[in-house]
């Protein structure tokens, strides 16, 4: 007996597109295509590419600050009054200029493919989010160049920096709304939330938490702007501004931007070990819990200094280690079950996970009484470690999903080398700042009394940033090369399990996939059913 | 034997706009949570709701601010009226409700400006006045955003985009105003009543 059921969606999808329908499938070519694009993959690439460009600037400035800190008695390269601004540039640049847009870009490009959607929800809003972010961050950089930013001497440029920060956050929030809406409403039939790929889940958690957390940062920046522009009687002058916003670039808030790392690890482990993700519920629960625990808008030390020694805050800092460890333990368990295939994404997953664990565990010690680490360079070390874990995962995502976006693979060996360099650099940056912090170097300072640990930390940090620079340049160069040359990747270069690998490479504008999902690994199911190699 | 089943019912349309508006509204609520949190923190640091906080001679006009609260309640009613009407295919009533919604929202702006004029304070007079203008100014921006959203949905409604089976745009609009009303309720109590 044959049972036939006609699904309306399939019926519509199989109907030949009309001329009007086909117009959606064509993007303008050349520069115009990038400027007015509605294709989520292009918007994602714009976000990611811009973020990596910013990272180069951040790494150079951070390296200069490290050089400055090697000899503690006075400045050689930089003027005294620029140090606070450059430190602020590195911290804010790494958060809102690099890691947030990098991982948001990956999410914009990948999430619709993973859930089987024809595109991102509100594609024009997603593109607007990118341009808003770009203009906002560009203005932030302009404000720094005009002697603005926290600690800047030009009051107008300080105002500009505050306004630009709000614009930057608004752009990132808008793009996050698009990512979250896509994951919540545009999933293929049968793809319940518990069946979404782990990266999509981590992107959803991050996007929702970004929507909840960044407005709190924006609220502070708005009131700072009102006060600084008109009165300067509530929050003080330019030197105090940074202290009201620092919580947003410190742990635990900063961990939020590294949460997609956990999803990326789970995703890559499953693909490279060729096993279904084990303890899926634990990974999802861990990622969700990590997202909730990172929210720190309620604990702004500038308004309530005592809050960071309160039980709830300290506990949140300690407990956030657990979900991260759970997610990584699942990854380790998967590694133990099978013989993983080698590849740059796997290298990135392993190393970013390790760096994130080191950062989060180090971060758990920050607010323990008696260690006196709060307010020192140690805090920056933890933040930088977590954020650079995000960068390592971002580079891994480039190697993993790049073939789907532009049709060619990055050379595996060199890409792995670049990722390893970035990881070692990240580890050294973390270690250098931790050493300086243990030696008592205040957060954001470069001058010191010649402490040996601080000096060693500065050298280690300098080496770290140089390695990060080389690593990122290497991977970006490989990616640029693979845009135009190299072997074609094929539709499923990694023998994947999730829907994005069922779409042709490079994925067409509207992804062209209509399917019903019956398990978390629909492509794996199909391969097993058709006896394709798994 | 071949047995053909009838086509499955049309799957529900993904409620993209509704979900996106819910997320954006949650973000807006968090924005005001941040603003009011800073306001309260500064008020507490100044000794709480005492004379040390409110500058001498400054009086928050109760009638105008209470009228704003009543207007927000009215906005909730007419927003739901628009949804209710459209669900019954009554475009006339839906359009009327949207028109009244625009008038109410515009009157909120007028009332807030009137509050500023009655209070006669400058933004740089005192830490209270700076924060007062900061918090209420951002609220005005949110009302303007709501007005734009309402205007867009009104044009869609007049253009025949909504029907008794598709009221998502109007439901999203109503949800935005509900959340903004809750935000204003908190603002009204913290800033206008407790001061």
């Amino acid at each position: 007996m044959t049972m036939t059921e006609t699904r309306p969606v399939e019926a519509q999808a199989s109907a030949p597109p009309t001329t009007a329908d086909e117009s959606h499938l064509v993007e303008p070519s050349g520069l115009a295509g990038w400027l007015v694009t509605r294709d989520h993959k292009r918007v994602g690439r714009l976000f990611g590419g811009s973020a990596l460009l910013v990272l180069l600037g951040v790494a150079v400035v951070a390296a200069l600050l490290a050089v400055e800190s090697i000899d503690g008695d006075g400045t050689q390269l930089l003027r005294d009054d620029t140090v606070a601004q450059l430190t602020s540039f590195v911290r804010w640049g790494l958060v809102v200029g690099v890691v947030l847009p990098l991982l948001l870009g990956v999410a914009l490009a990948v999430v619709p493919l993973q859930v089987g959607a024809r595109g991102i929800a509100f594609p024009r809003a997603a593109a607007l989010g990118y341009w808003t972010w770009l203009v906002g961050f560009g203005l932030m950089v302009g404000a720094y160049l005009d002697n603005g930013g926290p600690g800047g001497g030009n009051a107008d440029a300080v105002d500009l920096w505050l306004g630009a920060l709000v614009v930057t956050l608004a752009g990132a929030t808008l793009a996050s709304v698009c990512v979250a809406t896509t994951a919540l409403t545009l999933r293929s039939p049968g793809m319940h939330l518990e069946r979404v790929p782990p990266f999509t889940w981590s992107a959803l958690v991050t996007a929702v938490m970004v929507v909840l957390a960044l407005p709190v940062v924006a609220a502070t920046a708005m009131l700072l702007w009102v006060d600084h522009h008109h009165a300067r009687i509530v929050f003080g002058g330019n030197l105090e501004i940074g202290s009201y916003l620092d919580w947003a670039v410190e742990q635990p808030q900063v961990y939020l931007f590294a949460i997609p790392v956990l999803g990326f690890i789970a995703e890559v482990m499953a693909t490279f070990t060729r096993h279904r993700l084990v303890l899926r519920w634990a990974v999802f629960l861990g990622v969700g819990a990590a997202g909730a625990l990172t929210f720190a808008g309620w604990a702004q030390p500038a308004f309530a200094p005592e809050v960071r020694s309160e039980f709830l805050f300290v506990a949140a800092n300690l407990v956030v280690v657990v979900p991260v460890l759970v997610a990584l333990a699942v990854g380790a368990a998967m590694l133990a079950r099978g013989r993983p295939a080698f590849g740059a994404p796997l290298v990135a997953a392993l190393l970013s996970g390790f760096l994130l664990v080191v950062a989060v565990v180090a971060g758990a010690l920050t607010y323990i009484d008696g260690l006196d680490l709060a307010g020192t360079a140690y805090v920056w070390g933890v933040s930088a470690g977590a954020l650079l874990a995000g960068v390592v995962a971002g580079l891994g995502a480039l190697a993993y999903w790049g073939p789907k976006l532009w049709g060619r693979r990055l050379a595996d060996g060199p890409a792995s080398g670049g990722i390893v360099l970035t990881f070692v650099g990240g580890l050294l940056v973390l270690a250098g700042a931790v050493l300086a912090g243990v030696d008592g170097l205040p957060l954001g300072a470069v001058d010191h009394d010649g402490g040996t640990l601080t000096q060693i930390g500065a050298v280690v940090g300098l080496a770290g940033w140089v390695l990060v620079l080389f690593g990122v340049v290497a991977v970006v160069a490989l990616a640029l090369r693979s845009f135009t040359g190299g072997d074609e990747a094929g539709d499923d270069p990694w023998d994947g399990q999730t829907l994005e690998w069922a779409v042709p490479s490079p994925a067409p504008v509207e992804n062209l996939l209509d399917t019903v999902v019956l398990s978390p690994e629909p492509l794996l199911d199909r391969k097993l059913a058709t006896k394709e190699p798994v | 034997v071949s047995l053909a089943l009838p086509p499955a019912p049309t799957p529900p349309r993904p409620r993209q706009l509704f979900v996106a508006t819910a997320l954006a509204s949650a973000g807006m609520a968090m924005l005001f949570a941040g603003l009011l949190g800073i306001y309260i923190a500064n008020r507490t640091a100044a000794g709480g709701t005492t004379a040390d906080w409110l500058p001498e001679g400054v009086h928050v006009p109760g009638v105008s601010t209470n009228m704003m609260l009543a207007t927000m309640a009215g906005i909730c009613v007419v927003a739901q009226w628009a949804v209710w009407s459209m669900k019954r295919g009554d475009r006339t009533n839906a359009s009327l409700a949207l028109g009244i919604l625009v008038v109410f929202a515009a009157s909120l702006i007028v009332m807030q400006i009137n509050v500023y004029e009655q209070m006669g304070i400058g933004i740089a007079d005192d830490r209270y006045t700076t924060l007062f203008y900061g918090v209420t100014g951002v609220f005005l921006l949110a009302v303007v955003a709501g007005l734009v959203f309402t205007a867009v949905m009104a044009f869609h409604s007049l253009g025949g985009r909504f029907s008794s089976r598709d009221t998502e745009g109007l439901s999203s609009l109503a949800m935005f105003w509900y959340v903004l009303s809750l935000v204003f309720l908190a603002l009204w109590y913290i800033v206008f009543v407790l001061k």
Side-chain angles (χ1 to χ4, degrees):
Chain A
M1 184 170 74
T2 306
M3 293 177 70
T4 309
E5 184 178 18
T6 308
R7 289 182 59 247
V9 171
E10 285 175 346
Q12 285 168 17
S14 59
T18 63
T19 308
D21 288 335
E22 283 175 340
S23 67
H24 294 288
L25 303 175
V26 180
E27 287 261 306
S29 59
L31 185 64
W34 288 91
L35 289 174
V36 300
T37 185
R38 293 173 67 239
D39 181 6
H40 65 95
K41 298 173 285 294
R42 280 189 166 190
V43 177
R45 286 166 72 178
L46 285 169
F47 254 123
S50 307
L52 290 172
L53 209 60
V54 174
L55 176 57
L56 302 182
V58 167
V60 168
V61 174
L64 283 176
L65 286 168
V67 170
E68 195 70 29
S69 192
I70 291 173
D71 183 4
D73 54 352
T75 54
Q76 296 84 42
L77 294 172
L78 308 169
R79 281 170 35 199
D80 270 339
D81 58 352
T82 59
V83 168
Q85 289 157 283
L86 292 177
T87 306
S88 149
F89 170 73
V90 171
R91 297 177 80 197
W92 283 97
L94 199 55
V95 174
V96 300
V98 178
V99 178
L100 175 60
L102 178 63
L103 296 178
L104 194 53
V106 175
L108 280 164
V110 171
V111 165
L113 288 164
Q114 286 204 319
V115 300
R118 288 190 162 243
I120 194 92
F122 309 108
R124 286 196 179 89
L128 179 66
Y130 167 71
W131 293 111
T132 306
W133 169 84
L134 187 69
V135 169
F137 191 74
L139 289 174
M140 282 177 78
V141 173
Y144 281 117
L145 293 174
D146 197 20
N147 195 18
N154 180 349
D156 288 340
V158 174
D159 286 344
L160 176 65
W161 186 86
L162 288 166
L165 176 62
V166 174
V167 174
T168 308
L169 298 177
T173 306
L174 184 57
S176 297
V177 167
C178 297
V179 170
T181 306
T182 304
L184 289 171
T185 64
L186 293 181
R187 300 187 305 276
S188 286
M191 185 182 278
H192 312 304
L193 259 185
E194 69 271 19
R195 286 181 180 168
V196 298
F199 180 77
T200 291
W201 175 251
S202 67
L204 172 62
V205 169
T206 307
V208 169
M209 290 311 297
V210 160
V211 170
L212 297 179
L214 292 194
V216 183
V217 188
T220 311
M222 283 174 172
L223 287 183
L224 282 168
W225 182 87
V226 169
D227 181 53
H228 190 266
H229 187 71
H230 292 285
R232 294 184 210 170
I233 48 179
V234 183
F235 304 108
N238 55 346
L239 294 175
E240 284 81 29
I241 279 175
S243 64
Y244 289 96
L245 292 164
D246 279 350
W247 64 272
V249 289
E250 291 174 3
Q251 70 270 29
Q253 188 60 64
V254 81
Y255 298 148
L256 168 62
F257 309 112
I259 283 178
V261 174
L262 301 176
F264 174 71
I265 293 168
E267 191 87 38
V268 169
M269 288 299 173
T271 301
F272 279 74
T273 58
R274 297 191 170 84
H275 282 289
R276 294 178 196 271
L277 182 63
V278 297
L279 292 174
R280 190 179 178 79
W281 62 270
V283 174
F284 277 41
L285 199 63
V287 170
L293 287 166
T294 60
F295 183 74
W298 59 276
Q300 299 184 35
F303 298 111
E306 72 286 352
V307 75
R308 298 221 155 184
S309 55
E310 285 178 2
F311 171 76
L312 197 57
F313 183 79
V314 176
N317 253 287
L318 293 171
V319 174
V320 76
V321 177
V322 176
V324 174
L325 287 177
V326 166
L328 294 174
V330 170
M334 296 204 62
L335 272 182
R337 284 180 63 161
R339 295 175 61 186
F342 173 79
L346 182 68
V347 173
L350 291 170
L351 298 183
S352 62
F354 180 74
L355 188 53
L356 184 60
V357 165
V358 171
V360 174
V361 170
L365 306 175
T366 309
Y367 297 103
I368 292 178
D369 278 345
L371 295 179
D372 295 329
L373 296 171
T376 69
Y378 185 95
V379 173
W380 163 239
V382 172
S383 303
L387 292 167
L388 288 171
V391 171
V392 173
L395 296 179
L398 207 65
Y400 186 58
W401 283 297
K404 187 54 59 187
L405 300 181
W406 56 83
R408 290 188 176 85
R409 279 174 67 155
L410 278 67
D412 239 357
S416 301
I419 286 165
V420 170
L421 277 182
T422 311
F423 160 74
V424 175
L427 205 55
L428 291 179
V429 168
L430 185 154
V434 162
L435 285 174
V438 169
D439 206 22
L441 183 72
L443 181 62
V446 292
D447 288 345
H448 53 88
D449 56 5
T452 312
L453 273 182
T454 303
Q455 285 181 322
I456 294 172
V459 174
V460 169
L462 173 62
W465 281 113
V466 171
L467 288 179
V468 168
L469 201 59
F470 279 127
V472 172
V473 167
V475 177
V476 170
L478 288 167
L480 290 174
R481 206 170 131 196
S482 72
F483 286 173
T484 52
D487 296 334
E488 295 202 352
D491 296 346
D492 186 12
W494 308 111
D495 199 9
Q497 304 176 357
T498 43
L499 284 184
E500 73 268 33
W501 306 111
V503 174
S505 294
V509 173
E510 294 207 358
N511 302 337
L512 300 178
L513 182 72
D514 278 301
T515 189
V516 177
V517 173
L518 299 174
S519 87
E521 298 88 8
L523 192 57
L524 183 61
D525 294 339
R526 196 170 82 181
K527 289 173 182 174
L528 291 172
T530 56
K531 297 198 174 17
E532 282 180 28
V534 176
Chain B
V1 180
S2 179
L3 176 63
L5 294 176
T10 307
R13 241 165 41 84
R15 305 189 71 189
Q16 287 182 51
L17 183 60
F18 191 79
V19 170
T21 308
L23 287 165
S25 301
M28 181 179 70
M30 292 305 293
L31 176 77
F32 281 96
L35 292 170
L36 293 173
I38 293 171
Y39 181 90
I40 292 169
N42 275 277
R43 188 176 66 191
T44 307
T49 54
T50 62
D52 293 337
W53 171 243
L54 204 63
E56 198 175 333
V58 171
H59 169 70
V60 179
V63 173
S64 299
T65 53
N66 290 345
M67 277 304 296
M68 288 177 76
L69 185 66
T71 306
M72 287 304 300
I75 282 176
C76 291
V77 172
V78 292
Q80 191 55 40
W81 177 19
V83 177
W84 189 84
S85 302
M86 191 55 80
K87 278 190 173 166
R88 279 150 188 79
D90 185 350
R91 289 179 182 281
T92 310
N93 264 298
S95 301
L96 183 62
L98 287 171
I100 295 173
L101 181 48
V102 169
V103 173
F104 276 4
S107 67
L108 268 179
I109 297 173
V110 174
M111 280 187 270
Q112 181 60 61
I113 293 170
N114 178 254
V115 168
Y116 292 146
E117 287 185 349
Q118 286 187 64
M119 290 177 73
I121 53 175
I123 193 167
D125 288 355
D126 182 86
R127 94 180 348 199
Y128 166 80
T129 60
T130 303
L131 289 171
F132 181 85
Y133 271 104
V135 173
T136 54
V138 176
F139 176 72
L140 277 184
L141 290 178
V143 173
V144 170
L147 256 176
V148 172
F149 191 11
T150 306
V152 171
M153 288 304 129
F155 282 123
H156 279 313
S157 178
L158 291 171
R161 177 161 167 183
F162 303 128
S163 67
S164 59
R165 285 190 296 180
D166 179 12
T167 59
E168 189 192 350
L170 296 181
S171 302
S172 306
L173 179 68
M175 182 175 55
F176 175 86
W177 284 110
Y178 298 154
V179 174
L180 193 58
S181 299
L182 288 174
V183 162
F184 183 75
L185 186 63
L187 189 152
W188 172 80
Y189 184 67
I190 293 168
V191 179
F192 295 153
V193 176
L194 294 180
K195 305 177 181 68

